[in-house]
Every structure is written in structure tokens, then in C-alpha cells.
Amino acid sequence: MAALLGLRGKSVVTLLFACLLALLPAALIGWKAVDEVRRHFASAYAEQYTLLQMQRIMAPLSRELALSRRFADSIVTREWLREPDDPERRERFFREAEGYRQQFTSGAFFIIEHASGDYYFGDGTVADGDASNGQGPRAIRPAYRLSPQREEDAWYFATMASRATHNINVNVDRALDRTMIWLNIKVMDAGEPLGLAGGSIDLSDFLDRFIRSAPVGITPMIIDSRGALQAHADPERIALSSVNLAQTLEGDHGLYAMLETPDQREALRAAIQQTTRRPGEIASLETSLEGEPRLLTLGYIPELRWLLVTALDLSAYPLLDSRWFWPMVAALGLILATLMGAFAYATHRLILRPLRRLTLSAQAIAGGDYSPRLPTGRDDEIGTLSQAFSRMANQVERYTRDLEGQVRERTRDLEAAHAEMAAAHQQLGDSIQYASIIQRAILPDNQLERHLAHHYGVLWKPRDTVGGDFYVFRATGHGYLLGVVDCAGHGVPGAMMTMLARALIDQAIARHSADDPAALLTEIDHRGRELLPAERLPSSIATNMDLGLVWVDPRRERLTYAGAKIDLYASDGESLTRLPANKRAIGHRRPGHYVNQTLAIDADHSYYLCSDGFLDQAGGSHGFGFGNPRFEALLKDQAKRPLAEQMRAFEAALSAYQGELPQRDDITLLAFRAEPAAGPASPSSTDAQPD
């Protein structure tokens, strides 16, 4: 696709991408900025609305509250409540109460006599048909009598028991069948309660004036300090008789119940505490009200002990108005298209057309025609490029004439050098192949077959044609010696070390008995240090070797083992025994101490000596070495099978684990089974020659 666009298309696409890349973060930042501005002004609007509504609420409620206090604190009211049965005081009280009733906004008053619990309510109507006898509205009889045993009367006794001098709440008086905002003022005499008196405001009128007339997107509410709803657009949510704290906080009538999470409720509680401590300040918090995001502003009215809450729906004030959003998008698209067209035309005229001519000249030169020339009169980058191209064309033409002769001369030299290198490579390959034949000649395969027949198995895999691993076998009249040797190095250096190691082993067997592997290791280590002293060799040359020797004595039904970094394993398929070797190799800078270890011969066991090339071979999904645990599990799994089959299984398992990774080191695995001798050894048996 990129090739089809060409430079013009790529330039336009690049410019478009750059514009979009710049516009996207700019649009995001602008969007966030506009949103923050909108939130700021919305919050300020909600705060101002809350302050305004507080003043609108305070005016009528303060008037009613002040009038209720005057009514309750009147001397006439107190005198009648002290002696409610005195006709003269009763007449005087109800005459004065009628004057207060006419001043109350609702046109009604109430008073409760504490001693008897009688509840009087006056709204200007004639009670019990007494208008006919001329008594008029002054002849008010108790509407009902309050009792501590009735739940619906609990509000009165809770109010009288509280320390507050007054209480404002919303309640349904079922006896009067009215839902009102009651202003309850205590009437006290020297600390003794005389009763409760006050006025009221019709809830429907109050809601219409302050709640239901709110603008779109704003839900005003009135709560008390406990979160009980005193006024709400939905009358069902109002906490009637809000002195009942359990209903307020646990029911559906509290503002806390409308919040979703404990964190939001805690934030609301903190905001309520803040505003009640600092009247006149407005607290704001963002929360979810019944699952919808809202901005709440709270203002406290200390005279009423109420809080005005304004819930602002930010979604009601869209961030972008569709009336100007889509025209703005269309204008931006038109500007972008005009910019793309102008850029494409300028790119063609100033860049693409000169490059087209330069391309045609390059194609002609590639075809061997050096005659086309480019105009070099432009004083910009294209002109500089044309001048450089013309100089290059002249040089190419000159160099081409000289190059053919040089190529022919160099070709002859390369052919001669190749012939010499091929001859040297052939000679080196023949030498290595000859070395491989010599190394294989020292391996005791024939002797193993003659003495052990099918009781042995060998896996021998040099990393290169020749290597540093080999195995030994020596038979005598009373037993035989087997061993695996891992010399330092690979390839030709390792093969040379095997020759030296074989000579040291033969010399050690000549000096000591073959049935003492530890003595043989000590002698080999000593002679090796004499032949290759460490102080005369470079530090980069390694001359050490790993060696494991096993002497098998069938008549005594035991084998004797000693090793330097090559362990002996024995397994019958059910269990596995490992005789550990000394941790220091032969020729190590610090001499090792080698000791013999004996093990009873068991015809059901297979015995194994293995160089570290098998264990260290990298493979698997992570390229780790084969490792001891995997090797030991493989030994137990194969121990009961014939040794020839075991060798094939070992090779297959190693190859599968190795996968496509190269062989890391020379690999030698020698396995055998030993059986007790059927009778005494023949006296004619003699030591075999070294193998």
C-alpha cells in the first residue's frame, strides 16, 4: 500500500497524520478545559442558587418562627396554660390567639396543654356548632388528647424531652387530616413545661414556592442536621415527624439513603458538619444520587437548624451545543482539505517533478547511457542534488572503464587462491580423517565384545570428527577394568590429549595392579603433572581430564570404583545408587585425594559411567542442560532392558531433547552388567594387552 501511494501520497498522509496528531490532544485538552469551565460556572451557579433559596426560605419561615415565639411567650398564653380550667383566662387566651391566627400565613395556630395532653387547633372555623350561641371561633374545644402510649404522639413527648427551645418539622396530623410544616415552640415556666404552641405552613404551598419551581437540572431539598428530608419535590420522601431518628437514618426518607457508597455518605456527613459550624458558607461535593451523578451544594440556616441542599445535574448543561458543533466540524474539515490540496500541489511542483527527471537519468545510467544531464541551475536542495548526481555520473563513467580490467585481474587471483585453499582443505580433511582412524583404533571395542559379549553398551559421540573422550578396558585372570576418560578440549587438541591420557593409563596399570582404581588415578595424576607442569604452560591451555575407573571382580562378587568428576551409577529399574567421584579432575591445580568405593555385584543391576557432555547438552524449551535429575530418571526407566536397546534409547532421548541446538561437548556413555563367576578362574588366564 505504501508503494502505491508514492511520495505525493505519503507526504499528504504524513501531513494529515501530523494534523490529526496535533488536533487530538488539542481537542482533548480543549474539551477538558471547557468541561472544567462548565463545572466551575455550574458549581458557582449552584452555590448562588443555594444562597438565594436560603434567603427566600428564611424570609417567610423567620417571620412565622418569630410570630410563633411571640404567641408562645405571650403572658396570656402562659396564664391560661397554668390554669386551663379558668373561664376568664380561657376567654382571654382564645381572643388573643384569634389575632395571632389571622397573622399566620396558614391562617391557623395550635397549642397543647402539657398537663392534660389536650391538643387545640384553630383555623378560623366554628367548632361544634357553637356559632349559633354567639361564642364564635373562641369556643374551641380540644381536637384530641395526646397519649405517651400512642406511637403517632411520640413526636410531642420527644420534643418536650429535648433541650431545644423549638422544633420545626413536617408531619401529618391524622386526626386533623393535614400535612403541614409545624413550628413547635416550647412554653416553659421556671423550668417547668406548660405546653407547646406555634403556627404552621401548608406543605403544598411551600413546595410549590421553593421546591417544584426549580429550574431544569436542579433538585432543591431541605434536610435537618441528621440528613432527614424536610422538603422534597416528592412528598413521599419527606421524613414526617423527623424526631424519629431510626426512621430518618434507616428508612427511605434520609438523604444518606439516596447515596450509593459509604464514602459518599461520609463525605456528606463531613459537608453537613462543615456548614453547620460555619453558617453562611456553602459546601460542595460531587456524588451519585440514586445512581445518577450530581453536584451537591449545602447551605445551613441556623435559625431553623435546616440545611438547604441543591442537587445539580451537569448533564442538563451540555458541553457542546449541536447548533454550532457540527458547523465547526465542517469548517475544520474544509480547512484541512484545503491545506492537503495546497500541500500536494507544492510537493508535486517543487519536489516530485525534479525527482522524476532525476529518476529517468539514473535509469539511463543504469542501462549504460551516460549522456543525459540534469539542469543544475536551481539554488535549493534539488539543485544541489542534481549537481552531485552529475558529478557522480561522470565518476561512474570513468570508473566503469577501469573496472572491467581490474575485475578480470582480480578474478584470476581469486581462482588461484581458491585452488590453493581447496588443496589445503583437502589435505587438512584427510589428516583429520586419519587422526579419527587412529583414535578409533585405541578404543577397546573388540576386547569388550570378546570378554563381555552382550553385557556392555557404548554411546560414543565426538563433537567433531575427533574428540577428547574415550573409554578403556583391561581384562585379567581374576577380573576386568573399565573406565571413561574426558580430556580437556575438543577436536584435534582433545584427540592429542587422549593419546597422552591413554599412555598415562597404560603406564599406571604397569606400575600398579588393575584392581586398585584409586592408586591408578593417583599415579596418572602424578605422571601427568610431570609431563605437563602447570608453571610452564600458558594459563589459557587446559590439561586436566575427568576419569572414572571400575574394577569388576566376579569371583568375589564385588566391584571397586574410584573417580575424578565421573560418577558411577547402578540401577535395577526400581532404585538408583550413585557412587560419587572426587570433585577435582586429574591435573587440577590442587591435587585430589582418590579413594576406592566397593559395591556388591547384582546381576539385576546395570552400571553406568558417563562424561559430562551428556549431562551438559543444551536443549528443551529454555535451552538448559540435560541435567542429573532427567539423566537419573532415564537410567531407572531403561535399566531392565537389554544394553543395546538402552544405548539406542539414550541416544534417541538425547536427540529429542537437543532438538535443533548444536552438540556442545564430546559425549561418552559406557554401560555394563556384571555377573558372579560360575567357578574359580582358569589358571591359564593372563593379563590382556592394553586396549
Side-chain angles (χ1 to χ4, degrees), residues 22-56:
L23 284 174
L24 287 178
L28 180 60
I29 294 173
W31 184 280
K32 293 293 292 183
V34 172
D35 185 58
E36 289 299 323
V37 170
R38 182 191 66 160
R39 286 178 177 272
H40 172 75
F41 283 104
S43 177
Y45 172 70
E47 292 178 6
Q48 294 301 319
Y49 181 85
T50 301
L51 289 172
L52 177 61
Q53 291 299 100
M54 289 171 60
Q55 296 300 321
R56 293 183 62 194

Side-chain angles (χ1 to χ4, degrees), residues 110 112-119 144-164 167 169 171 184 186 188 193-196 241 243-244:
F110 78 93
I112 301 173
E113 181 191 347
H114 186 71
S116 63
D118 287 342
Y119 181 96
Y144 58 90
R145 176 167 291 180
L146 289 86
S147 172
Q149 284 72 37
R150 286 207 305 268
E151 182 179 356
E152 57 267 26
D153 297 338
W155 68 272
Y156 169 74
F157 297 99
T159 301
M160 297 303 294
S162 68
R163 295 182 179 181
N167 172 264
N169 69 344
N171 189 25
N184 306 315
K186 288 184 181 179
M188 307 291 291
L194 296 179
L196 198 69
S241 298
V243 293
N244 188 344

Side-chain angles (χ1 to χ4, degrees), residues 251-491:
D252 296 331
H253 302 291
L255 181 58
Y256 291 105
M258 301 170 68
L259 303 180
E260 290 188 331
T261 65
D263 292 340
Q264 295 178 357
R265 298 186 188 102
E266 186 61 30
L268 175 62
R269 186 174 292 107
I272 291 176
Q273 293 176 357
Q274 175 186 345
T275 54
T276 52
R277 291 195 194 103
R278 301 175 181 176
E281 291 188 6
I282 303 298
S284 301
L285 69 154
E286 293 190 13
T287 182
S288 295
L289 207 61
E290 296 182 324
E292 298 295 333
R294 293 291 185 269
L295 175 65
L296 298 185
T297 55
L298 296 86
Y300 181 58
I301 306 174
E303 294 83 0
L304 308 178
R305 294 195 294 274
W306 279 0
L307 292 101
L308 178 62
V309 181
T310 301
L312 177 63
D313 182 7
L314 293 177
S315 63
Y317 303 90
L319 186 61
L320 294 177
D321 194 338
S322 59
R323 292 176 299 175
W324 57 269
F325 175 74
W326 291 115
M328 182 188 70
V329 172
L332 183 62
L334 181 60
I335 293 173
L336 190 60
T338 303
L339 181 62
M340 295 297 103
F343 182 78
Y345 176 76
T347 301
H348 172 76
R349 184 170 182 82
L350 299 177
I351 300 175
L352 297 182
R353 189 164 63 181
L355 288 181
R356 174 64 178 172
R357 296 180 60 186
L358 187 62
T359 301
L360 295 176
S361 299
Q363 292 174 349
I365 292 174
D369 182 7
Y370 300 96
S371 59
R373 292 293 182 265
L374 292 175
T376 57
R378 291 180 55 167
D379 295 330
D380 55 11
E381 288 79 2
I382 297 296
T384 302
L385 179 61
S386 299
Q387 295 172 10
F389 187 82
S390 296
R391 290 194 297 269
M392 181 197 69
N394 294 332
Q395 292 178 357
V396 169
E397 184 178 7
R398 185 172 61 255
Y399 291 157
T400 302
R401 297 190 184 98
D402 300 335
L403 185 59
E404 294 182 356
Q406 295 179 6
V407 168
R408 287 192 294 269
E409 183 180 351
R410 296 293 174 83
T411 301
R412 289 193 298 268
D413 294 342
L414 288 175
E415 290 176 349
H418 181 267
E420 293 176 1
M421 185 174 61
H425 184 270
Q426 180 65 34
Q427 184 178 5
L428 180 60
D430 293 342
S431 298
I432 294 176
Q433 190 64 35
Y434 184 61
S436 175
I437 295 173
I438 295 174
Q439 186 176 45
R440 288 181 178 274
I442 69 171
L443 299 178
D445 294 334
N446 294 332
Q447 289 76 13
L448 283 167
E449 182 66 28
R450 184 167 63 251
H451 288 276
L452 299 183
H454 59 279
H455 293 301
Y456 83 97
V458 177
L459 175 61
W460 185 67
K461 295 183 64 177
R463 192 190 73 171
D464 306 312
T465 305
V466 292
D469 280 14
F470 70 102
Y471 48 96
V472 297
F473 176 78
R474 177 68 61 87
T476 68
H478 55 279
Y480 51 89
L481 179 73
L482 301 99
V484 170
V485 185
D486 181 3
C487 297
H490 312 289

Side-chain angles (χ1 to χ4, degrees), residues 61-138:
L61 280 179
S62 296
R63 175 187 177 279
E64 296 297 310
L65 182 61
L67 191 61
S68 297
R69 285 185 183 276
R70 288 173 53 196
F71 174 55
D73 293 338
S74 170
I75 296 176
V76 175
T77 302
R78 294 176 183 274
E79 289 178 347
W80 177 67
L81 288 177
R82 290 191 191 101
E83 299 182 19
D85 296 330
D86 187 334
E88 182 179 351
R89 294 186 177 186
R90 175 185 177 90
E91 173 70 17
R92 188 164 56 250
F93 166 75
F94 282 107
R95 187 183 301 278
E96 183 175 280
E98 175 64 18
Y100 278 102
R101 183 193 67 77
Q102 294 176 4
Q103 297 181 52
F104 283 126
T105 302
S106 62
F109 72 91
F110 78 93
I111 188 167
I112 301 173
E113 181 191 347
H114 186 71
S116 63
D118 287 342
Y119 181 96
Y120 296 86
F121 180 80
D123 60 356
T125 60
V126 178
D128 298 331
D130 289 336
S132 60
N133 57 21
Q135 293 179 345
R138 293 190 301 276

Side-chain angles (χ1 to χ4, degrees), residues 419-577:
E420 293 176 1
M421 185 174 61
H425 184 270
Q426 180 65 34
Q427 184 178 5
L428 180 60
D430 293 342
S431 298
I432 294 176
Q433 190 64 35
Y434 184 61
S436 175
I437 295 173
I438 295 174
Q439 186 176 45
R440 288 181 178 274
I442 69 171
L443 299 178
D445 294 334
N446 294 332
Q447 289 76 13
L448 283 167
E449 182 66 28
R450 184 167 63 251
H451 288 276
L452 299 183
H454 59 279
H455 293 301
Y456 83 97
V458 177
L459 175 61
W460 185 67
K461 295 183 64 177
R463 192 190 73 171
D464 306 312
T465 305
V466 292
D469 280 14
F470 70 102
Y471 48 96
V472 297
F473 176 78
R474 177 68 61 87
T476 68
H478 55 279
Y480 51 89
L481 179 73
L482 301 99
V484 170
V485 185
D486 181 3
C487 297
H490 312 289
V492 174
M496 297 300 292
M497 283 295 299
T498 62
M499 299 294 112
L500 178 60
R502 176 56 187 270
L504 292 174
I505 293 172
D506 290 344
Q507 186 178 13
I509 293 175
R511 285 178 174 269
H512 300 275
S513 175
D515 59 1
D516 190 354
L520 295 177
L521 293 180
T522 303
E523 178 68 19
I524 294 169
D525 183 58
H526 177 69
R527 296 301 177 187
R529 294 177 187 276
E530 290 181 348
L531 291 174
L532 299 171
E535 61 273 9
R536 298 181 184 178
L537 297 174
S539 59
S540 60
I541 296 179
T543 59
N544 56 290
M545 67 180 77
D546 301 342
L547 179 57
L549 296 176
V550 181
W551 168 256
V552 182
D553 190 344
R555 292 181 301 176
R556 300 176 64 183
E557 299 184 4
R558 72 176 185 180
L559 56 82
T560 304
Y561 161 76
K565 297 190 68 176
I566 293 183
D567 300 334
L568 174 66
Y569 297 88
S571 176
D572 61 352
E574 302 295 334
S575 63
L576 178 70
T577 302

Side-chain angles (χ1 to χ4, degrees), residues 454-458 641-650 671 673:
H454 59 279
H455 293 301
Y456 83 97
V458 177
R641 301 178 63 187
L643 291 173
E645 295 182 10
Q646 288 191 40
M647 293 303 104
R648 289 192 290 270
F650 283 125
R673 287 187 179 138

